Amino acid sequence: MQLCQTNAELALALSAAREEGRRIGFVPTMGALHEGHLSLIRQSKADGHFTIVSVFVNPLQFGDGEDFESYPRTLGVDARLVTDTGGDVLYAPTPQAVFPEGAGLPEPDPGELGDSYEGAARPGHFAGVLKVVSRLLDLVSPDAIYLGQKDAQQVALIRRMVAEQLESGMRQPVSVVVMPTIRDDSGLAMSSRNRRLSEAELEIARTIYPALVSAAASGKDASAICELAKAALSPEARLDYLEVVDEQFEKVQGKPPAGSRLIVAANVGSVRLIDNVLIGGE
Ligand code: PAF
C-alpha cells in the first residue's frame, strides 16, 4: 500500500496503474475507518480495481458549532486497515492540496434536496460534500466510486451530480456503486461517531434499527409507518426527522412506491445518528 500525501504522488501512482491497464476504484472517506468503509474497499478490490482510498476531513461540510476540530483523526490506524484490506493507495492530502487558493474549483449546486433532511439540520453541508467529491473525482478520475447506503441523501446527491457532470461533458463516465449499510451485532449502523457514545447512549442508539425494520415491514401507508417507528424508538433518542421518501428523496404520502426508504436522524447524547431502511425490506 502506498501512502500519497501530495497530488503529485497521487498522479504518479495513478499513471503507473493506468499504464498497467488497471481500472481505478475510489473510496472517499474522512478517515476513522470502520467495517463500513472496509466493505467498500473490499468491493472495489473484488471488482478488480486498483483501489484509492482518500482520507480527508473536509472542513467545508462542517457547520459552525459542528465537530470539525474534534472529528477523529487516526491516520496511522487507517493506513494499517487499508493495507490489511488490500487497498492500493491511501491518499491523505492537506487542505491546500484539495482546495488550492484561487483555483476557482467547481461548486456543484445541491439544489432543493440539499436543504431538506440532513441539509436542513446542517446548512451548507451538502454544498461542501459535493465540492469535495467533485474535486476528488477530478484528482482521481476513477472508473467507479464506492459509497455507503447509510448516507442515503448524500448518495442521491452525488449520483445526480455525477450524471449532470457527465451530461455537461466535464466528466468521463464513473459508476456510482452503493454498498449496504454495515451494522454491529445489534443492528446499529457503523459510524465513526459511534465511538463517542457511552454504554447507556449505545443502548438508546440500538433501538433505532429494529424500530425502522419493523415499521418498514408493516405494509402500511407512509404516515402509519412513521408512527410505528416513532413508537418503537427509545424516547431518549431525540428525533430530528423520521420520514418515508422515494428514490428522488421526495416525501411519500400514502402507499410507498418501490425503492422508498424510511429515513431517520436522531440525537443521542451529543451524537447525531442517521440511518435508513428500504420499505418492505432490503
Ligand atoms: O461520507 C463521507 O465520509 C464524506 O461525506 C465524503 C463522501 C468522504 C466527503 O467528504
Side-chain angles (χ1 to χ4, degrees), residues 28-30 58 61 129 132-133 151 154:
T29 83
M30 296 206 300
N58 171 28
Q61 67 188 79
V129 169
V132 78
V133 172
D151 297 302
Q154 169 171 283

Side-chain angles (χ1 to χ4, degrees), residues 65-90:
E66 287 192 28
D67 55 351
F68 173 66
E69 300 297 341
S70 62
Y71 197 84
R73 288 163 172 84
T74 56
L75 190 60
V77 179
D78 292 345
R80 206 167 52 243
L81 288 169
V82 173
T83 305
D84 293 349
T85 316
D88 297 287
V89 167
L90 173 53

